[in-house]
């Protein structure tokens, strides 16, 4: 029997928390904690008893470099320049709160959701917290019998497909030291029961069994769950509300009290609402909802209602699925939930509550089934008698004209206009919205395209073999060209359809899935694909240019339609990264880029200025895109001026506490597209005025290479595949 998966034991490092449980899913693909993690491990940076410690005894570290490391640590963790140091440590008793980097993404039509990246200082706080309280997290997350996504144990192994891993492993220069290389496949610090993605629940026997056993289903969730959570709710839930209020000092030293304090510190002291995005926030919410679930089940049991006899209830984060037969049972359960949630200042979202009767099938399920059939029926790629032909070839069957057995066997078909019309019909018939099925549709198409490329390669490789043997004449060359052209026409039609889908409702998640498709196509046509059997094949430039130009044109239209507005900036940044992948000949003209970022020439000074607020991600991605290209001279100059003003206009005391400015500072210091003089100016704004120290800090970056943004040598396919594995909702 073939082994499809391989299990690798993790070398436990407490620092790996920053790789898996800290950053939101919706961040630019070039941004990660990978190199920040490397820094923490390399220098043994940690927090113990409210003090930051580090190890500067590394081999080759001179006294001068030790002083530079000290500057780096003070800057990175928001300490004052004159912060007293003793035995390679800083006392943090008085200065623990930091300002998170909060940014918006589209959530619903005309609605936004705020996500957050926490300060590097708070990121090492969570390392210490997990290390100290991981067992208690596991204990309190395994109380509810309703929860179907909960931490069950500390992750000890990584599982991956051997073949896929080899294909997607990336370039050699994209790796870091083996001993800190867990990032590649690490999803979360804990393993989760029972589902890491909600859609796996829909396909599971538990859901299907409940459908058979019960006549009715009601779905509901908690209204603005994370925004509603009061941080003190955790001590209330795990201890006792009245006891906590009467003995606040005592509760502060408990696990619940410490988690409450941490959630405040990362959010600049806020107690109303918790940050959205990081996995540890979902764990915080899970701990509270575990208590709600347990109290509801206990209350219902006293009423004579038994779980899995009278009802079944499943909760995925804050989404509930209640199966039942009797309406009186449903009303009693809902009443109990409302009472218990009210104790924690949370409420059921009435507008999102939906009921279903047997046969229990949701509008979404019906739409998905129809979409799969639609794509299978209308995106056709067949190779007739492929198995027979392969056998004959393997047996060395001679044929005077082998091309007849290759080119004429392909069936490639797609009508994008017809497909679009039928897709809209499905939405109308099932009464679902674009946003509900867009991601699913793009995933189905993505898998379809990968399968088509693999099938195409299996036959097309025969041309490579014949070409290599010098058996080509004019007729055969023409057939090869026609085959390339047919596939290219097919891909152009595919691109028409997926961009039609995407432009209706662009969101971060759908942008990521679109990017996956585009990257697959780009790599295939540029000869960078991972299908080994036809590595020698290269498409004619005319076909390659048609596809790449099509991608450029469609992205350009999207950028012209969706300006980089103040409220939402992450949605389309991925597309700039894709454009970078196309190559220099497909780059956007500077005026188009200026229009997208609302950068225009000032009538008074004749200088280019940004009229909209740009957040950290927009600044870094734009800088990544323009690089050192001379055609972007004006917008790059304007960007650097804007960045300087962004720092200057922030109160000096808050600069070091700001997650956004701290992350941006370190990425700019490591950026290869910025002159040293500009970097020195930035350092002077952070209280490091002397030239020698500035030079030493800049030189330090050469060893560190990157901090959060990877400025070059991006393996986009690999990065995207790693990111998709971290989805909680798809």
């Amino acid at each position: 029997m073939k082994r499809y998966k391989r299990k690798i034991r993790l070398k436990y490092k407490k620092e790996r928390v920053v790789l898996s449980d800290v950053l939101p899913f919706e961040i630019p693909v070039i941004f990660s904690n990978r190199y920040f993690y490397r820094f923490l491990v390399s220098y043994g940076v940690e927090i113990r008893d409210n003090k930051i410690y580090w190890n500067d005894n590394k081999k080759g570290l001179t006294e001068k470099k030790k002083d530079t490391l000290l500057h780096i640590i003070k800057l990175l963790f928001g300490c004052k320049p004159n912060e007293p140091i003793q035995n390679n440590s800083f006392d943090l008793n008085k200065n623990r709160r930091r300002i998170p980097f909060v940014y918006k993404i589209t959530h619903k039509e005309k609605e936004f959701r705020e996500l957050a990246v926490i300060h590097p200082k708070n990121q090492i706080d969570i390392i210490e917290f997990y290390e100290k309280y991981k067992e208690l997290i596991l204990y309190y997350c395994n109380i509810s019998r309703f929860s179907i996504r909960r931490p069950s144990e500390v992750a000890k192994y990584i599982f991956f497909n051997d073949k896929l891993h080899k294909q997607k492993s990336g370039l050699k220069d994209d790796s870091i030291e083996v001993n800190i290389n867990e990032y590649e496949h690490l999803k979360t610090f804990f393993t989760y029961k029972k589902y890491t993605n909600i859609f796996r629940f829909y396909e599971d026997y538990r859901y299907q069994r409940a459908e058979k056993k019960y006549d009715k289903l009601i779905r509901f969730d908690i209204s603005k769950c994370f925004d509603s959570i009061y941080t003190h709710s955790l001590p209330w839930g795990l201890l006792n509300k009245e006891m906590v209020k009467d003995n606040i000092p005592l509760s502060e030293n408990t696990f619940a009290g410490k988690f409450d304090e941490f959630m405040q510190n990362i959010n600049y002291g806020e107690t109303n609402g918790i940050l959205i995005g990081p996995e540890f926030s979902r764990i915080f919410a899970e701990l509270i909802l575990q208590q709600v679930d347990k109290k509801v089940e206990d209350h219902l049991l006293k009423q004579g209602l038994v779980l899995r006899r009278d009802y079944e209830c499943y909760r995925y984060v804050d989404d509930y699925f209640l199966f039942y037969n009797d309406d009186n049972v449903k009303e009693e359960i809902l009443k109990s939930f409302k009472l218990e949630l009210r104790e924690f200042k949370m409420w059921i979202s009435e507008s999102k509550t939906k009921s279903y009767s047997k046969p229990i099938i949701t509008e979404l399920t019906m739409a998905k089934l129809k979409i799969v059939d639609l794509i299978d029926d209308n995106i056709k790629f067949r190779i007739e008698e492929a198995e027979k032909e392969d056998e004959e070839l393997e047996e060395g069957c001679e044929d005077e004209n082998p091309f007849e057995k290759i080119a004429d066997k392909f069936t490639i078909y797609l009508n994008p206009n017809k497909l679009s019309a039928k897709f809209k019909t499905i939405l109308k018939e099932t009464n679902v919205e674009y946003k509900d099925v867009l991601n699913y549709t793009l995933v189905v198409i993505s898998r379809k395209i990968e399968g088509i490329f693999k099938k195409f390669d299996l036959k097309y490789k025969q041309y490579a073999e014949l070409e290599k043997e010098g058996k080509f004449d004019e007729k055969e060359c023409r057939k090869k060209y026609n085959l390339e052209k047919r596939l290219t026409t097919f891909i152009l039609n595919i691109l028409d359809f997926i961009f039609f889908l995407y432009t209706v409702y662009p969101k971060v998640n759908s942008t990521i899935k679109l990017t996956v498709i585009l990257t697959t196509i780009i790599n295939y046509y540029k000869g960078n694909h991972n299908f080994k059997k036809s590595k020698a094949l290269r498409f004619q430039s005319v076909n390659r240019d048609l596809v790449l130009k099509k991608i450029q044109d469609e992205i350009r239209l999207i950028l012209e339609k969706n300006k980089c507005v103040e409220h939402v900036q992450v949605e389309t940044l991925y597309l700039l990264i894709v454009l970078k992948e196309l190559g220099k000949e497909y780059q956007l003209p500077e005026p188009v880029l200026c229009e997208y970022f609302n950068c225009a020439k000032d009538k008074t000074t004749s200088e280019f200025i940004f009229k909209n607020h740009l957040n950290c991600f927009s600044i870094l991605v734009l800088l990544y895109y323009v690089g050192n290209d001379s055609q972007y001279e004006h917008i790059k100059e304007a960007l650097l001026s804007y960045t300087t003003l962004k720092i200057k206009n922030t109160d000096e005391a808050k600069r070091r506490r700001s997650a956004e400015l701290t992350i941006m500072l370190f990425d700019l210091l490591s950026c290869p597209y910025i002159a040293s003089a500009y970097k020195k100016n930035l350092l002077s704004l952070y209280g490091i005025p002397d030239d020698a120290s500035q030079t030493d800090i800049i030189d330090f970056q050469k060893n560190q290479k990157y901090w959060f943004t990877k400025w070059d040598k991006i393996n986009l396919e690999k990065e995207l595949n790693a990111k998709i594995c971290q989805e909680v909702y798809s």
Side-chain angles (χ1 to χ4, degrees):
M1 182 180 288
K2 291 183 179 179
R3 291 180 62 196
Y4 294 101
K5 287 191 175 181
R6 187 153 60 100
K7 181 170 78 171
I8 294 184
R9 190 173 185 91
L10 285 169
K11 293 180 181 179
Y12 178 73
K13 288 189 185 306
K14 63 182 183 180
E15 293 88 355
R16 75 186 198 202
V17 174
V18 303
L19 296 173
S20 59
D21 286 42
V22 168
L23 296 178
F25 174 77
E26 300 88 349
I27 57 175
V29 71
I30 61 173
F31 189 92
S32 76
N33 269 346
R34 190 177 309 161
Y35 295 92
F36 175 57
Y37 167 79
R38 179 172 73 173
F39 173 80
L40 297 179
V41 173
S42 296
Y43 294 100
V45 182
E46 61 180 344
I47 287 183
R48 299 195 306 270
D49 301 322
N50 294 334
K51 291 184 178 180
I52 294 181
Y53 292 87
W54 65 95
N55 178 19
D56 60 6
N57 293 322
K58 282 187 70 175
K59 187 177 179 181
L61 208 61
T62 63
E63 288 300 318
K64 183 179 179 181
K65 288 182 178 178
K66 289 180 181 180
D67 291 339
T68 303
L69 178 61
L70 180 59
H71 279 305
I72 293 286
I73 288 174
K74 285 183 177 180
L75 283 170
L76 190 58
F77 301 118
C79 303
K80 297 177 181 178
N82 59 351
E83 196 82 44
I85 172 179
Q86 187 177 12
N87 298 324
N88 283 13
S89 70
F90 294 120
D91 194 335
L92 295 170
N93 278 319
K94 295 182 179 179
N95 188 23
R96 297 180 66 84
R97 292 178 175 177
R98 297 293 187 272
I99 307 169
F101 165 36
V102 177
Y103 61 100
K104 295 181 176 69
I105 63 169
T106 302
H107 180 46
K108 299 175 185 176
E109 192 173 1
K110 297 180 181 180
E111 285 188 29
F112 307 111
R113 170 171 282 173
E114 289 190 336
L115 304 180
V117 177
I118 63 175
H119 196 283
K121 154 65 181 55
N122 297 133
Q123 294 191 33
I124 60 171
D125 280 335
I126 197 67
I127 295 172
E128 181 194 36
F129 186 85
Y130 268 44
E131 181 67 8
K132 190 173 182 178
Y133 295 114
K134 57 182 180 289
E135 298 300 334
L136 284 172
I137 290 173
L138 293 172
Y139 173 77
Y140 285 113
C141 280
N142 283 273
I143 292 172
S144 165
R145 294 204 292 168
F146 297 169
S147 179
I148 56 174
R149 187 190 185 274
R150 63 183 187 271
S152 61
E153 62 178 351
V154 176
K156 298 177 182 177
Y157 299 97
I158 293 169
F159 296 86
F160 60 79
N161 181 300
D162 279 337
K163 186 177 180 181
L164 185 65
H165 176 65
K166 285 181 181 180
Q167 291 177 350
K168 310 283 187 185
S169 59
L171 307 171
K172 289 183 179 180
D173 56 16
D174 194 38
S175 63
I176 57 180
E177 287 84 356
V178 175
N179 66 328
I180 52 173
N181 203 20
E182 300 130 12
Y183 79 85
E184 271 189 275
H185 307 279
L186 189 64
K187 297 180 183 179
T188 51
F189 183 85
F190 299 102
T191 59
Y192 281 75
K193 287 186 176 180
K194 299 175 175 100
Y195 311 98
T196 56
N197 192 293
I198 192 169
F199 290 106
R200 294 187 178 183
F201 173 54
Y202 297 138
E203 300 169 353
D204 190 72
Y205 79 93
R206 291 177 179 85
Y207 188 91
Q208 294 165 4
R209 182 188 62 193
E211 283 183 317
K212 295 174 185 176
K213 187 176 178 180
Y214 300 92
D215 296 332
K216 299 175 183 179
L217 162 69
I218 185 168
R219 284 192 60 183
F220 61 93
D221 69 6
I222 299 169
S223 178
K224 298 180 178 179
C225 179
F226 284 33
D227 293 318
S228 304
I229 290 176
Y230 187 49
T231 64
H232 296 331
S233 298
L234 187 62
W236 295 351
L238 268 58
L239 303 172
N240 177 279
K241 189 173 181 178
E242 296 303 321
M243 185 195 76
V244 170
K245 287 190 171 186
D246 293 338
N247 300 277
I248 292 176
L250 290 174
S251 70
E252 287 175 347
N253 292 317
T254 64
F255 158 65
K258 291 297 182 183
F259 210 166
D260 175 10
E261 181 187 17
F262 171 77
M263 297 303 283
Q264 292 178 53
N265 287 337
I266 66 172
N267 199 17
Y268 209 41
E270 289 289 333
T271 57
N272 291 313
I274 63 173
L275 298 179
I276 303 173
E279 179 61 32
F280 63 74
S281 288
R282 283 189 281 273
I283 289 175
F284 190 88
E286 179 67 26
L287 290 166
I288 295 171
L289 294 177
Q290 285 269 333
Q291 299 298 317
V292 171
D293 294 349
K294 183 68 169 64
K295 289 178 179 180
V296 168
E297 186 185 353
D298 290 346
H299 171 79
L300 294 174
L301 191 59
K302 291 177 181 177
Q303 306 301 312
L305 300 177
V306 180
L307 181 65
R308 299 195 180 98
R309 187 192 72 184
D310 301 296
Y311 70 96
E312 285 193 29
C313 186
Y314 299 99
R315 176 177 55 79
Y316 185 92
V317 189
D318 67 327
D319 290 316
Y320 284 88
F321 302 79
L322 173 62
F323 293 89
Y324 63 99
N325 291 319
D326 190 326
D327 284 340
N328 292 325
V329 172
K330 177 199 72 173
E331 294 301 325
E332 185 63 38
I333 295 172
L334 289 179
K335 184 175 78 173
S336 182
F337 267 113
K338 289 175 182 179
L339 286 171
E340 294 300 337
L341 287 168
R342 190 183 301 167
E343 287 293 310
F344 296 96
K345 302 183 184 295
M346 292 188 285
W347 293 266
I348 290 174
S349 174
E350 299 295 340
S351 63
K352 293 172 68 175
T353 299
K354 291 187 177 182
S355 299
Y356 306 92
S357 298
K358 214 166 196 178
I360 299 174
I361 181 167
T362 66
E363 302 92 337
L364 188 58
T365 301
M366 288 190 290
K368 287 179 177 179
L369 291 171
K370 288 177 177 287
I371 287 167
V372 170
D373 289 340
L374 176 70
I375 291 171
D376 284 343
D377 292 341
N378 291 273
I379 302 179
K380 296 181 180 180
F381 182 93
R382 296 195 185 98
I383 307 173
E384 298 174 10
E385 302 177 12
E387 293 183 6
K388 183 179 177 181
E389 292 173 20
D390 287 341
E391 284 176 13
E392 290 174 352
L393 288 168
E394 287 174 7
E395 292 169 5
C397 178
E398 294 184 3
D399 196 304
E400 292 182 2
N401 192 352
F403 295 93
E404 294 294 338
K405 300 189 68 176
I406 300 172
D408 296 338
K409 298 300 181 181
F410 282 84
T411 302
I412 307 175
Y413 172 77
L414 170 63
N415 186 328
N417 295 327
K418 187 177 180 181
L419 198 58
S420 301
K422 288 186 175 181
F423 183 81
K424 287 186 278 189
T425 302
I426 289 173
L427 299 186
K428 187 75 173 176
E429 290 174 346
T430 57
N431 198 31
V432 300
E433 298 179 29
Y434 259 94
K435 65 179 180 65
D436 297 324
V437 294
L438 177 57
N439 287 344
Y440 179 80
T441 307
L442 291 173
V443 169
V444 173
I445 293 173
S446 180
R447 291 171 181 170
K448 191 87 172 178
I449 292 172
E450 283 205 18
I452 287 170
F453 282 157
K454 288 176 181 177
K455 286 181 182 179
F456 190 86
D457 266 18
L458 287 172
K459 299 301 288 184
Y460 197 48
K461 69 171 183 174
Q462 297 174 27
Y463 284 107
E465 293 168 358
L466 292 166
E467 189 175 25
K468 189 177 180 181
E469 295 170 10
K471 296 181 179 179
F472 266 38
D473 58 24
E474 185 178 346
K475 183 180 178 182
E476 281 80 44
C477 284
R478 189 164 58 250
K479 286 185 177 181
K480 178 176 179 286
Y481 172 77
N482 287 336
L483 192 55
E484 290 180 0
K485 189 176 179 181
R486 290 170 69 187
L487 181 68
T488 298
T489 302
F490 177 80
I491 293 300
L492 292 174
N493 287 333
I494 282 272
L495 289 169
D496 269 331
F497 180 61
I498 63 172
F499 276 107
F500 155 76
L501 291 175
Y502 174 78
T503 51
V504 175
Y505 197 75
K507 292 175 65 178
V508 177
N509 277 21
S510 54
T511 306
I512 292 171
K513 289 172 176 59
L514 174 66
T515 304
V516 170
I517 296 173
L518 297 179
T519 303
T520 300
I521 294 171
I522 291 167
N523 283 343
Y524 193 83
Y525 271 83
K526 292 179 76 173
N528 299 327
H529 55 83
N530 295 303
F531 311 127
K532 292 182 178 180
K533 293 184 178 180
S534 61
K535 264 295 190 182
L537 289 176
R538 296 292 184 272
F539 278 81
Q540 291 195 359
S541 59
V542 64
N543 291 306
R544 184 175 65 250
D545 291 343
L546 280 170
V547 170
L548 301 187
K549 186 66 169 62
K550 174 71 172 177
I551 293 172
Q552 184 211 35
D553 290 343
E554 293 290 348
I555 290 177
R556 180 169 175 171
L557 286 173
I558 291 170
L559 297 182
E560 288 174 351
K561 182 182 177 182
N562 300 275
K563 300 286 194 299
C564 187
V565 298
E566 182 174 346
H567 299 296
V568 183
Q569 297 182 32
V570 180
E571 267 82 345
T572 49
L573 290 179
Y574 271 78
L575 300 181
L576 278 183
I577 299 169
V578 173
L579 282 175
K580 186 92 169 181
E581 288 291 297
L582 292 178
K584 191 172 181 178
E585 62 268 36
Y586 300 99
Q587 286 185 292
L588 295 174
E590 187 176 58
V592 174
L593 208 56
C594 285
E595 181 71 17
Y596 171 65
F597 283 101
N598 203 5
C599 178
K601 186 183 288 187
D602 186 88
K603 294 180 180 179
T604 306
T605 64
S606 295
E607 294 180 350
F608 282 78
I609 58 171
F610 289 92
K611 295 183 177 182
N612 288 347
H613 166 79
L614 296 183
N615 67 29
C616 172
F617 287 149
S618 293
I619 291 170
L620 296 173
V621 172
L622 177 54
L623 190 55
Y624 167 81
Y625 182 76
V626 302
N628 281 326
D629 197 322
S630 58
Q631 70 169 307
Y632 300 122
E633 177 185 353
H634 296 109
I635 194 170
K636 183 177 178 179
E637 186 179 328
L639 182 65
L640 295 179
S641 297
Y642 176 88
T643 304
T644 303
L645 284 173
K646 186 179 178 74
I647 297 171
K648 282 184 176 180
N649 292 337
T650 304
D651 182 75
E652 195 171 344
K654 288 185 177 181
R655 285 176 199 168
R656 293 172 177 264
R657 293 187 178 188
S658 166
E660 180 180 18
L661 296 187
T662 300
I663 288 168
M664 189 171 68
L665 170 67
F666 276 84
D667 274 345
L668 293 174
L669 290 176
S670 65
C671 180
Y673 314 128
I674 298 177
S676 292
Y678 181 84
K679 296 177 181 180
K680 289 181 178 182
N681 182 52
L682 290 181
L683 289 170
S684 65
L685 297 176
Y686 282 83
I688 304 175
D690 62 290
D691 186 78
S693 296
Q694 292 172 354
T695 301
D696 291 339
I697 291 172
I698 294 168
D699 288 342
F700 184 91
Q701 312 304 319
K702 296 175 183 177
N703 181 57
Q704 176 65 21
K705 199 168 184 180
Y706 312 111
W707 282 99
F708 304 97
T709 297
K710 195 169 191 296
W711 291 109
D712 53 18
K713 298 178 181 177
I714 296 289
N715 185 338
L716 191 54
E717 185 179 27
K718 175 189 170 184
E719 299 293 346
L720 286 167
N721 277 281
K723 175 172 281 293
I724 288 172
C725 290
Q726 297 175 329
E727 274 190 298
V728 177
Y729 294 92
S730 57

